[in-house]
């Protein structure tokens, strides 16, 4: 693919998003993440651990004491603009594929149930290690979306619109490799979310196949 073809494909993708108001749920989720980031920033900053905990970041001791809601709220919090930007950029592309092809209900189920699976896996790991880490980020939910797309692509014989299974696999592997090399990336949330997304989409696959026939 030439540089011009690359730019043209991205322009076509963005134009498709804005021209189809029926598939805007993914943009709403992105907007909520950005809004939460702004609110946390103006009330103390995303680098302030106490402020992040106040806003609902995952913190093992508090979750163990019963504040399990943090497994959910932490999915909308990010440490710094780079963390937010990288997650939302990836979600912009993969989330649109999922919403458009599987529908809003499947998108919600995959994003939240898969994301919660990632949060639980991360929490269980920190608990087993006896560590008290402040954790946050939408990456577990985003990996759930990636896992769901893998299922959709298999159901569609290796392709989903202009996305091939090979290209998706390369993207997933590279993202995981970056996580392995970084001490600040929660790989258990990534893997847990990815597996959770696969399971949720497999459970929803009969409904997807019926939707596809219509």
């Amino acid at each position: 693919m030439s540089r011009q073809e690359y730019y043209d494909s991205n322009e076509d993708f963005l134009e498709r998003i804005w021209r189809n108001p029926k598939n805007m749920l993914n943009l709403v989720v992105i907007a909520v993440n950005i809004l939460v980031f702004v609110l946390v920033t103006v009330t103390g900053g995303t680098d302030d651990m106490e402020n992040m905990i106040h806003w609902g970041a995952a913190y093992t001791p508090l979750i163990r004491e019963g504040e399990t809601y943090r497994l959910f709220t932490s999915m909308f919090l990010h440490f710094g603009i780079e963390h937010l930007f990288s997650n939302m950029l990836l979600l912009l592309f993969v989330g649109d594929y999922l919403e458009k092809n599987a529908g809003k209900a499947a998108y919600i189920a995959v994003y939240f149930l898969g994301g919660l699976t990632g949060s639980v896996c991360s929490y269980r790991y920190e608990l087993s290690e006896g560590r008290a880490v402040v954790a946050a980020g939408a990456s577990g939910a985003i990996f759930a979306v990636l896992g769901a797309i893998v299922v959709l692509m298999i159901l569609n014989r290796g392709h989903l619109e202009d996305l091939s299974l090979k290209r998706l696999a390369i993207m997933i592997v590279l993202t995981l490799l970056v996580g392995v090399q970084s001490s600040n990336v929660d790989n258990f949330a990534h893997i847990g979310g990815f597996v959770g997304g696969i399971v949720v989409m497999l459970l929803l696959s009969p409904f997807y196949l019926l939707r596809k026939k219509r």
Side-chain angles (χ1 to χ4, degrees), residues 35-57:
L35 175 61
V36 171
F37 180 82
V38 172
L39 292 174
V40 176
T41 299
V42 299
T43 56
T46 59
D47 293 326
D48 185 329
M49 295 301 103
E50 290 188 5
N51 192 45
M52 289 291 282
I53 291 174
H54 171 75
W55 277 92

Side-chain angles (χ1 to χ4, degrees), residues 183-201:
S183 59
N184 296 321
V185 174
D186 193 341
N187 291 297
F188 279 86
H190 290 179
I191 296 172
F194 185 72
V195 174
I198 289 176
V199 172
V200 173
M201 196 64 240

